[in-house]
Amino acid sequence: LGAPLSSDDVATDAGATCAAAMGQYCVGVFPGVGRAASCLRQHLAVAKRRRDPCAIEVNQFFATVRRAVVKYNAALAKGCAPELSPAGVCAGAAKGAAGEAQAAKPTQFACLLKHRARLTEACAAAVLEEEIEEAQDVRLDDAIMSACEGDLAERCAGVAAALKMDCLAEAVREGSKQKPLSETCGKAVFSHLLEKAGDIRLDPTLFGTCAGELKKFCADEAFGDARKKKCLFDIRTEPRFGDECRLAIEAAASFEARDARLLGLSSACDFDMGQLCAEAAATTARSEAAAEGSSARCLVAHLDKITSRKCKKQVERLAAVNSELWSSNAEVEVGCDRDRKKFCGGVGDSEVQGCLRARLPELSSECRAAEFKEIQVENQGGLQLKPAFLRACGQVLLGCASECGSSPALSAACALRCLRQLQADGGRSELRRAPPTEPGGEPGPAVEMTPRCQRQVDLLTAAASTDFRLVPGLPQHCARDIQNLCSAEATSKGPTGEGPAGAVLGCLSSKRRKVKDPDCAQSLKDLEVAKALAPEADAGTMHACKEDTDLFCTGVKGPKMHECLQKHISLLGPKCLHVEFGRMRAATENALFNPALKQACMGPIQSGACAAQHSSAPGLLRCLEDLVIGGGGASGGGMMPNAKSSQAVPEACKAEVSKLVKLKNKDYRLNPVLAEACDADIDRLCLSARLAIDASEALGDGRVIECLIDQRNKLRGPGCEEAVKRKMIQRVQDATNDPAMVLDCGSEIEALCFDSAPGMGNLHRCLFMDHYNFLSERCKARERGYQVMKRRDAGLNPLLLEHCAPVLDKHCKADWPVRATGGSGGSGGVTQVVKCLEAHMDTLETTPACRSRVLQEPILRAKSLLLNPDLDEVCARDLSSLVALGKCGQEGETVESLEQELSGRDVACLLSHERQVTDLCQTALLNVKRARAKDLRANPGGVGACKQDIDRFCAFESYGKGGVNRCLQRHLGVSGQPPSSSFEALSKGCAELQTDILLDEARDFVANPLLEIACANERERFCSGVVDGNSRIQTCLSSRAKKAPQSMSQACLSEIQRVWFSLEVAAHLVGGVEAARKTLLLKDTIHWMHFKAFTAANAVWAAKLLCLVAMLGCLGTVIFLSAGQHAAAVTHACNKLGRAMSVVQDPGRSKRGA
């Protein structure tokens, strides 16, 4: 335009540095008063040509006029006209002039900066543009240039103009003591940093370094209020995030976190600062030249007391930065500098905290105290105070939304609990799924634990394991329980976490069953789960067991480390033994504390037979034990695993549960229910065994439990009997669950029962039924004891219960479950159950397997009084008397040796001398008679003399319903005819045995099971008031049959006739008075026989029988004759034998009387 150039604008004439740019961007702009410079600066910045020679010259121009920048910056002057007007906020500010020295009062631009909050939108935008330009070149910043001219010349002489501000700021950030800035410059630089902290554009180095990340990750975030910086910091761990930007944003965040003013907390937290941190705020305010963290640290320490929502949110963010960046907390940085160099050399700033906390017990006292405070602060809030954890586990935590919520402030305790449960589930669970993407939609995929998340969980666990105050929520929840249970340990902890590591936690853990507060109990449970899952993250375990792990378990991690140490428990050092025994106690208390078991049994726990017990720690373990091993019912009667349910249990689960049960059977202390319920009984009955075990923390050998079992009839504690019963069932189920059994019979089990699968009593059956005579005396005694227990309690008979469960459930509820009866068994024991099962042998529910087990019981009971509790209870004294008189056993043989032989000789002796025992014993012997009448194998001594006869005559008959006996008895004679000498008869011994059985049946109704079954209805209808014994019921039934045969079933009539014929045959075999006296043990009158029509010969034979009866002392016999014409023959026969008999003819048949 031909106008002359002026010193108040950049040169733009031909040949000038900016001539070309002027022609390209600013045609039409008249130079002067900075118009050309303003236009060029704007366009060159847009064109990203800040380093062009013209741009440098433009900046040089503005540097010379920096005190009068408003005058020379047309956009600024125009945009801020209202503020600079006579009525504006900056009306009296100095206008300044090019090259003017600093004036007494602030310039117009300084005034605008001071009143930033009151500026109009246009002015604020113009001021920001000027600030951005100043940030690019320190020469444009009047305040800095005025205060730091000497510092720039001394410290930053060789630094490019664009980096001079960084040079000064670095000195402030580092707090350099060797070469500090001058006081005036330091204040100006710190003030500059305070003013520019809210907008990343005012930090050109950071802005340029992170330009790509800003565009890629934070494009939607608005500038101002540090939003762009916060976005970069929060997302800096994304895979595509550049390392250079990450380091830069971490450095910026670390510095800003050191001073509440840099974060804008002074305004946001004004009220809370005054209430909570007035002194600290004053200290911070006095620090004008450097970051001072007093107020920031104070606000963080009182996070839980802050009332302003806006303030609390910002302080939570500060605490989150402190938790990640160790250098952001001056106290941690100073206190932990040596520890960082020692343990974490080469580790980045964001990883130092995790590195230090992983070694918390090893840190110096200063560093440990600083970290302790930091962790306590983090535990005050939700997971937003643990950003590293939240980032690593964010996706995994989606599966915890249903129980913990989806808010960032979700409870750290709940999140950790959820993640540990997921870890215990093997790292993946179908029950933990991401929430639906839309309301009402389908749940997302199942979440999976990641290595990054696992690392964070372990870090939190490691810190928490050293001090109860570092466990999220525990200090608040457990305050009262600590006071009541662990006050001594609490007083020794030290004010800053430097006391005995884990002393209070150890106390609470050992007494957790006494903890009252449910939230405290839950916190302790969470911590125990963590210790079980990651022992290497448990400071207590690693401190106590370092030498042992190095020696026995090198390279073993996770739950397997505990398994490894426990395999070598007898070799562990005292400290490690203490820790591992505590771990075993926990694992036997709650399935969650036993990761291997929980993972192996996931099916039964989550959706199977034990799903209903999932929330109950004792109930869940008991359910698993009962499902796999068998343990006990609520009523105390005992329970065995259902076959179908047990088959559905994975083999891995069976193995883990079996291992757990074996462990619990070794030491009463590993059975929390038993230890508590039986505490008084143990002191009263088993004190010496207890003292021997309690003297050390070595694993016991089962002596206390064995003592309780031996003394079970003396137990008094509520619930003790049931708890002991569970141990009895488990040991009956699997012999190897009894440590003493393994000691006494281990070699026999290995040699003789190697092909018998453990469980369901198989090993006991192998030892007793198949190889008893080959066992050592110690093993015999041990096995005999188990058989005695089984005979005294139906709940200890696994196969009987398994195979007969449907019958028991449907027909025998009155008899099952029966309560353990202690020493004697009694009428409520096995006998009642077996009788009920026998009565329902032919029901649809009775399987062949059940029938076989029921038939086996009387056979075993006949072997010894020890195995027949009902008989033992009433006949023991009788047996002792007979042995003392020399009538039983060999010379010098004792009752104990006779019983322990298990040959049946003791029972046989009682039967042989029946007339010499008490009435109670005689009544009890009826069960033996009844059993052998049904099944000859139930005879004391077994089939004995009849074995060859059975093979010869009855090989195809089945036992159990009297079939074998009936078959043998057919060879005593022919029905309806007396036996003849030409008849092929039984061997003498078998004939005598069968004769005994026949005579028993004739005398006692209950000793004749077939008659009892055939005439059950008739007895109820016609003879209900008749007492059994001395053939009274038979007489009643016989009389009814004679009077009204049509009222009786054919089965009953046939059985009555068979009974009469049995006596007929028996008498023929007696062969004389002495033989009859040995065989026919009838004391009173036989008056029930019902004669059919006879031939004369048969009548004479019958007379001989009657006279034999009379000779045995059976006087006054009354004979009912159905045919009167035989009366004379009978009377004649008796007279010939020299005994008078009273013969009465049936009045209904004849008018004759006698």
Side-chain angles (χ1 to χ4, degrees), residues 622-913:
R622 288 166 71 90
C623 176
L624 289 172
E625 289 176 8
D626 294 345
L627 186 64
V628 176
I629 305 296
S635 65
M639 145 188 179
M640 293 294 166
N642 176 275
K644 292 183 179 178
S645 299
S646 183
Q647 289 172 3
V649 179
E651 289 301 319
C653 178
K654 292 181 182 178
E656 287 297 331
V657 173
S658 298
K659 183 167 66 175
L660 177 72
V661 169
K662 284 179 173 55
L663 184 64
K664 293 176 72 172
N665 271 277
K666 288 183 177 181
D667 200 310
Y668 81 97
R669 296 170 295 180
L670 301 182
N671 298 266
V673 175
L674 182 146
E676 183 176 338
C678 300
D679 186 58
D681 287 314
I682 294 173
D683 277 347
R684 186 169 53 87
L685 303 171
C686 309
L687 183 59
S688 60
R690 179 180 207 163
L691 292 176
I693 295 298
D694 289 353
S696 71
E697 290 184 311
L699 188 63
D701 56 4
R703 275 184 288 176
V704 173
I705 296 176
E706 183 176 358
C707 172
L708 290 172
I709 292 174
D710 292 342
Q711 302 286 338
R712 60 190 179 277
N713 57 331
K714 300 178 183 178
L715 300 177
R716 299 174 186 172
C720 182
E721 184 181 356
E722 181 184 349
V724 172
K725 177 71 171 294
R726 290 182 64 82
K727 299 295 111 181
M728 294 166 64
I729 292 175
Q730 291 169 357
R731 294 177 176 206
V732 166
Q733 277 283 77
D734 187 344
T736 59
N737 285 335
D738 179 0
M741 187 78 183
V742 174
L743 183 65
D744 291 340
C745 298
S747 58
E748 284 92 337
I749 291 173
E750 186 176 348
L752 303 175
C753 304
F754 58 89
D755 56 349
S756 296
M760 297 312 298
N762 291 333
L763 293 177
H764 285 298
R765 187 167 59 256
C766 169
L767 293 172
F768 183 67
M769 300 297 292
D770 301 337
H771 304 289
Y772 184 75
N773 293 329
F774 299 98
L775 305 180
S776 66
E777 290 303 317
R778 290 181 63 180
C779 186
K780 275 185 179 179
R782 186 68 61 181
E783 182 55 40
R784 188 166 55 240
Y786 274 101
Q787 295 303 323
V788 170
M789 282 199 306
K790 289 173 67 175
R791 302 285 79 73
R792 280 161 167 72
D793 191 338
L796 301 179
N797 197 324
L799 287 177
L800 182 72
L801 301 187
E802 179 196 0
H803 296 315
C804 299
V807 189
L808 289 169
D809 291 340
K810 186 170 183 179
H811 301 290
C812 304
K813 288 185 177 178
D815 303 295
W816 176 258
V818 291
R819 196 160 181 80
T821 55
S824 63
S827 61
V830 177
T831 305
Q832 290 298 101
V833 176
V834 174
K835 278 185 176 179
C836 177
L837 292 172
E838 287 176 341
H840 298 89
M841 287 278 279
D842 296 322
T843 60
L844 293 175
E845 295 81 14
T846 306
T847 62
C850 175
R851 188 173 293 109
S852 173
R853 298 314 308 170
V854 173
L855 293 176
Q856 191 70 34
E857 286 305 308
I859 298 172
L860 293 173
R861 289 201 297 271
K863 288 180 177 292
S864 172
L865 262 67
L866 294 176
L867 303 182
N868 195 329
D870 297 325
L871 195 62
D872 186 37
E873 186 173 14
V874 295
C875 294
R877 290 185 178 180
D878 296 281
L879 180 63
S880 297
S881 299
L882 292 171
V883 171
L885 293 172
K887 296 184 178 183
C888 294
Q890 301 174 358
E891 185 177 352
E893 192 168 13
T894 64
V895 174
E896 290 75 15
S897 62
L898 194 65
E899 291 178 333
Q900 292 174 5
E901 188 182 86
L902 305 186
S903 64
R905 287 196 299 137
D906 52 346
V907 181
C909 174
L910 291 169
L911 286 174
S912 299
H913 300 85

Side-chain angles (χ1 to χ4, degrees), residues 189 275 291 362 499 646 668 681 979 1136:
V189 172
Q275 295 292 314
E362 303 173 59
S646 183
Y668 81 97
D681 287 314
K1136 272 196 165 187

Side-chain angles (χ1 to χ4, degrees), residues 827-1047:
S827 61
V830 177
T831 305
Q832 290 298 101
V833 176
V834 174
K835 278 185 176 179
C836 177
L837 292 172
E838 287 176 341
H840 298 89
M841 287 278 279
D842 296 322
T843 60
L844 293 175
E845 295 81 14
T846 306
T847 62
C850 175
R851 188 173 293 109
S852 173
R853 298 314 308 170
V854 173
L855 293 176
Q856 191 70 34
E857 286 305 308
I859 298 172
L860 293 173
R861 289 201 297 271
K863 288 180 177 292
S864 172
L865 262 67
L866 294 176
L867 303 182
N868 195 329
D870 297 325
L871 195 62
D872 186 37
E873 186 173 14
V874 295
C875 294
R877 290 185 178 180
D878 296 281
L879 180 63
S880 297
S881 299
L882 292 171
V883 171
L885 293 172
K887 296 184 178 183
C888 294
Q890 301 174 358
E891 185 177 352
E893 192 168 13
T894 64
V895 174
E896 290 75 15
S897 62
L898 194 65
E899 291 178 333
Q900 292 174 5
E901 188 182 86
L902 305 186
S903 64
R905 287 196 299 137
D906 52 346
V907 181
C909 174
L910 291 169
L911 286 174
S912 299
H913 300 85
E914 184 181 11
R915 297 183 69 182
Q916 296 176 287
V917 301
T918 61
D919 290 343
L920 284 175
C921 183
Q922 286 186 34
T923 302
L925 286 170
L926 286 176
N927 285 325
V928 179
K929 296 177 180 180
R930 182 177 187 273
R932 75 176 181 180
K934 290 185 70 175
D935 191 334
L936 188 57
R937 294 173 300 178
N939 177 62
V943 296
C946 290
K947 186 177 187 307
Q948 292 182 352
D949 299 273
I950 293 171
D951 295 340
R952 182 180 177 190
F953 302 121
C954 310
F956 298 102
E957 292 289 342
S958 60
Y959 291 97
K961 294 186 177 181
V964 172
N965 282 330
R966 296 296 173 262
C967 172
L968 292 171
Q969 290 163 13
R970 283 197 293 272
H971 291 269
L972 286 171
V974 181
S975 180
Q977 297 292 331
S980 65
S981 59
S982 63
F983 181 74
E984 188 176 9
L986 302 177
S987 63
K988 182 180 179 182
C990 185
E992 290 177 353
L993 177 57
Q994 288 301 318
T995 299
D996 287 344
I997 293 172
L998 286 170
L999 294 176
D1000 290 339
E1001 291 179 345
R1003 180 186 177 196
D1004 293 291
F1005 184 75
V1006 295
N1008 191 334
L1010 294 183
L1011 179 66
E1012 187 180 23
I1013 295 171
C1015 298
N1017 293 331
E1018 287 79 357
R1019 181 192 180 183
E1020 183 68 26
R1021 290 175 61 193
F1022 308 124
C1023 308
S1024 60
V1026 179
V1027 179
D1028 188 24
N1030 296 326
S1031 307
R1032 284 185 286 268
I1033 294 178
Q1034 290 93 326
T1035 300
C1036 173
L1037 292 171
S1038 181
S1039 176
R1040 183 69 190 181
K1042 183 175 182 303
K1043 292 178 181 179
Q1046 70 278 3
S1047 65

Side-chain angles (χ1 to χ4, degrees), residues 388-397 415-416 419 422-423 448-460:
F389 176 86
L390 200 55
R391 280 196 308 274
C393 299
Q395 291 300 312
V396 186
L397 285 171
L416 283 170
L419 293 175
L422 180 64
Q423 182 184 359
E448 295 186 24
M449 178 64 76
T450 64
R452 286 181 63 209
C453 181
Q454 186 61 64
R455 169 66 176 162
Q456 289 297 321
V457 172
D458 289 347
L459 284 175
L460 292 179

Side-chain angles (χ1 to χ4, degrees), residues 55-392:
I56 295 173
E57 190 166 314
V58 168
N59 280 348
Q60 181 63 41
F61 167 76
F62 279 107
T64 59
V65 299
R66 61 178 183 273
R67 285 193 50 78
V69 67
V70 175
K71 174 181 177 182
Y72 294 99
N73 186 330
L76 188 61
K78 181 179 180 182
C80 296
E83 285 79 3
L84 298 172
S85 68
V89 294
C90 293
K95 296 181 180 180
E100 180 183 43
Q102 187 173 9
K105 60 180 181 179
T107 64
Q108 289 178 324
F109 189 67
C111 176
L112 293 173
L113 291 176
K114 182 178 179 181
H115 297 91
R116 189 191 304 272
R118 299 171 60 186
L119 302 181
T120 60
E121 184 177 352
C123 182
V127 169
L128 178 62
E129 287 300 325
E130 183 58 33
E131 286 184 289
I132 292 173
E133 292 298 333
E134 287 183 359
Q136 297 288 336
D137 193 333
V138 71
R139 297 173 302 171
L140 306 182
D141 189 323
D142 182 54
I144 295 295
M145 291 302 296
S146 300
C148 299
E149 184 175 2
D151 296 270
L152 284 169
E154 180 181 358
R155 179 183 291 272
C156 309
V159 178
L163 299 177
K164 287 185 182 292
M165 189 66 233
D166 288 341
C167 175
L168 295 173
E170 189 66 22
V172 173
R173 292 191 182 109
E174 291 182 352
S176 176
K177 295 180 180 180
Q178 294 181 352
K179 197 176 181 181
L181 298 177
S182 63
E183 182 178 355
T184 304
C185 180
K187 289 180 180 180
V189 172
F190 188 71
S191 177
H192 169 88
L193 295 174
L194 287 175
E195 290 177 2
K196 315 306 181 187
D199 198 317
I200 194 172
R201 291 170 295 184
L202 303 183
D203 186 342
T205 302
L206 180 62
F207 187 54
T209 301
C210 296
E213 283 75 12
L214 284 168
K215 184 177 181 181
K216 188 184 300 181
F217 300 109
C218 303
D220 295 335
E221 292 288 343
F223 287 101
D225 290 331
R227 283 186 287 266
K228 292 284 189 182
K229 286 184 179 180
K230 292 175 183 177
C231 172
L232 289 172
F233 185 81
D234 292 343
I235 206 135
R236 73 191 189 284
T237 57
E238 286 292 319
R240 295 179 296 162
F241 202 96
D243 290 340
E244 191 176 358
C245 177
R246 179 178 57 79
L247 293 173
I249 194 64
E250 286 179 353
S254 180
F255 172 69
E256 291 172 0
R258 286 173 175 258
D259 197 302
R261 296 166 294 181
L262 290 169
L263 295 172
L265 295 181
S266 299
S267 56
C269 298
D270 182 60
F271 174 79
D272 293 292
M273 189 89 75
Q275 295 292 314
L276 303 172
C277 306
E279 185 176 344
T283 300
T284 299
R286 288 193 295 269
S287 176
E288 299 178 355
E292 205 290 319
S294 298
S295 56
R297 288 196 298 273
C298 178
L299 286 171
V300 169
H302 293 86
L303 177 60
D304 57 331
K305 299 176 183 177
I306 293 175
T307 57
S308 167
R309 183 177 299 178
K310 183 178 180 181
C311 176
K312 188 164 190 172
K313 186 175 181 180
Q314 292 196 37
V315 174
E316 284 177 344
R317 182 172 183 84
L318 170 59
V321 173
N322 287 339
S323 74
E324 285 197 274
L325 305 178
W326 85 293
S327 59
S328 67
N329 186 325
E331 188 174 358
V332 172
E333 186 182 31
V334 173
C336 296
D337 185 55
R338 286 180 298 171
D339 299 87
R340 179 186 66 83
K341 294 174 181 177
K342 179 179 179 180
F343 299 117
C344 308
V347 175
D349 192 12
S350 60
E351 298 175 353
V352 172
Q353 290 281 53
C355 174
L356 291 173
R357 293 178 185 183
R359 295 175 170 270
L360 202 59
E362 303 173 59
L363 302 181
S364 63
S365 58
E366 296 85 359
C367 183
R368 189 166 61 248
E371 285 292 350
F372 181 85
K373 288 182 180 179
E374 187 65 31
I375 297 171
Q376 278 192 301
V377 168
E378 294 171 22
N379 287 344
Q380 292 180 26
L383 286 183
Q384 71 271 26
L385 299 191
K386 302 179 185 294
F389 176 86
L390 200 55
R391 280 196 308 274

